[in-house]
Amino acid sequence: MSDEIEFDRSATTPPGEVATLSPLVRRVIAGNGGPMTFTGTCSYIVGQGRVAIIDPGPDDAAHVACLLASVAGETVSHIVVTHTHRDHSPAVPALKAATGAIVVGCGPHRAARELAEGEVNRLDAAADRDYAPDEEMRDGDTVTGPGWSLTAVETPGHTANHLAFTLAEEETLFSGDHVMAWSTSIVAPPDGAMAAYMASIEKLRGMDHRLYRPGHGGPVTEPQRFLRGLVQHRRQREVAILNRLRAGDERIAEMVPPIYQGLPPALHGAAALSVLAQLEDLVLRGTVGCDESLPSLTSRYRLA
């Protein structure tokens, strides 16, 4: 069986529509579709009667209203958050105010590393720095309800505080933005780190889940095969970067167009951050040299 990554960009249910995915899982998609969010953020309702809501999504009154309507007559015991990007956690206060639920999951937003001298964090606008959980979950921590349990799996990389959650009763992992069927996850410093992301991939390769339900798009139906494809994809991207260095490119801005041929220019900034993440990892491993103590978008790079 080939380990080539195969993305699934088939249509999901429309925003605002409640989709029953399994006996324990319902999904409502927020109306924030776009180049980085696909059809929108997936908010999941876990359980029946006494439920948890995973990733309530952006600060969008219409989406919150849809979620509340979807659980009318039920008790929301927990609001569970995978990570603190503005498409996942800002609806927490409104949902908590309406339900009285306990907010659990990832800790407050934090960067994976310090800023380099003169570096500006281009991801500041994407971070929900107001998020504050009632209870921060660590690897292996579990919250439960009637017939369901959600166990935290620490999966840093996309963000430093990223968590996934295992629903053991259905052998399912809510994978947040760590693994998605429609696209690779962006790993963008300083909030994200490639070494941590790859370590988290390897961690999941050592676990046994039947299905992943990501933060955007449809399910990952063959998780182990898909993870192997992600590893291969990152290795190919690494080879492409090393080839650009061999060709004489020294800066990330020179590498992006030939590596991401056909990518719309509007996405070149995100691509540059992905290249930076890979270069950080290559510098850490001693494969690539950098003219600064901390690699940045404007650093010069060379083969070590």
Side-chain angles (χ1 to χ4, degrees):
M1 181 179 290
S2 171
D3 291 341
E4 287 291 324
I5 194 166
E6 296 178 5
F7 294 118
D8 180 3
R9 297 188 175 95
S10 56
T12 51
T13 49
E17 181 176 304
V18 185
T20 299
L21 305 179
S22 74
L24 286 176
V25 180
R26 288 165 279 171
R27 182 187 65 202
V28 181
I29 299 176
N32 63 336
M36 306 300 291
T37 57
F38 193 39
T39 60
T41 302
C42 296
S43 297
Y44 294 100
I45 302 165
V46 178
Q48 298 286 341
R50 188 173 181 87
V51 306
I53 295 179
I54 300 176
D55 283 350
D59 184 11
D60 179 345
H63 182 59
V64 172
C66 285
L67 285 173
L68 292 173
S70 302
V71 297
E74 299 180 286
T75 298
V76 181
S77 61
H78 297 85
I79 299 168
V80 185
V81 180
T82 62
H83 66 292
T84 45
H85 277 157
R86 288 194 171 276
D87 54 330
H88 286 260
S89 58
V92 163
L95 196 61
K96 179 179 172 66
T99 63
I102 299 170
V103 180
V104 301
C106 68
H109 192 82
R110 66 182 188 274
R113 64 158 173 80
E114 297 179 355
L115 289 174
E117 184 176 354
E119 184 181 14
V120 174
N121 187 350
R122 300 189 180 190
L123 303 174
D124 265 345
D128 178 11
R129 300 189 183 278
D130 295 326
Y131 166 82
D134 296 313
E135 297 177 13
E136 182 176 343
M137 296 178 71
R138 301 290 186 179
D139 206 54
D141 290 345
T142 302
V143 294
T144 63
W148 58 266
S149 60
L150 292 170
T151 300
V153 182
E154 292 184 2
T155 48
H158 175 67
T159 58
N161 65 349
H162 195 286
L163 296 180
F165 296 92
T166 294
L167 176 63
E169 293 78 4
E170 293 189 348
E171 300 175 272
T172 292
L173 183 76
F174 294 95
S175 56
D177 281 6
H178 182 58
V179 180
M180 300 178 288
W182 78 281
S183 176
T184 56
S185 176
I186 183 171
V187 180
D191 286 6
M194 185 60 66
Y197 171 82
M198 295 304 293
S200 294
I201 291 292
E202 290 304 318
K203 181 177 184 176
L204 292 186
R205 292 180 73 181
M207 303 178 75
D208 188 18
H209 295 99
R210 177 183 58 84
L211 188 77
Y212 290 177
R213 297 201 184 280
H216 305 274
V220 177
T221 57
E222 296 182 79
Q224 289 300 321
R225 179 183 179 185
F226 198 82
L227 291 173
R228 291 193 299 269
L230 286 177
V231 171
Q232 181 65 17
H233 171 81
R234 295 295 180 180
R235 287 174 178 165
Q236 290 171 345
R237 185 58 46 77
E238 186 176 287
V239 168
I241 290 170
L242 293 174
N243 285 341
R244 294 317 309 166
L245 291 170
R246 292 188 185 98
D249 291 349
E250 294 183 327
R251 296 190 185 275
I252 290 173
E254 299 172 304
M255 301 179 198
V256 168
I259 291 175
Y260 291 86
Q261 293 184 27
L263 185 72
L267 296 179
H268 278 197
L273 288 169
S274 291
V275 172
L276 172 59
Q278 299 246 199
L279 282 165
E280 280 188 349
D281 188 38
L282 288 165
V283 170
L284 183 66
R285 287 153 49 194
T287 305
V288 169
C290 177
D291 67 348
E292 298 174 355
S293 57
L294 282 176
S296 72
L297 286 170
T298 57
S299 300
R300 291 183 180 274
Y301 298 92
R302 65 186 185 282
L303 293 172

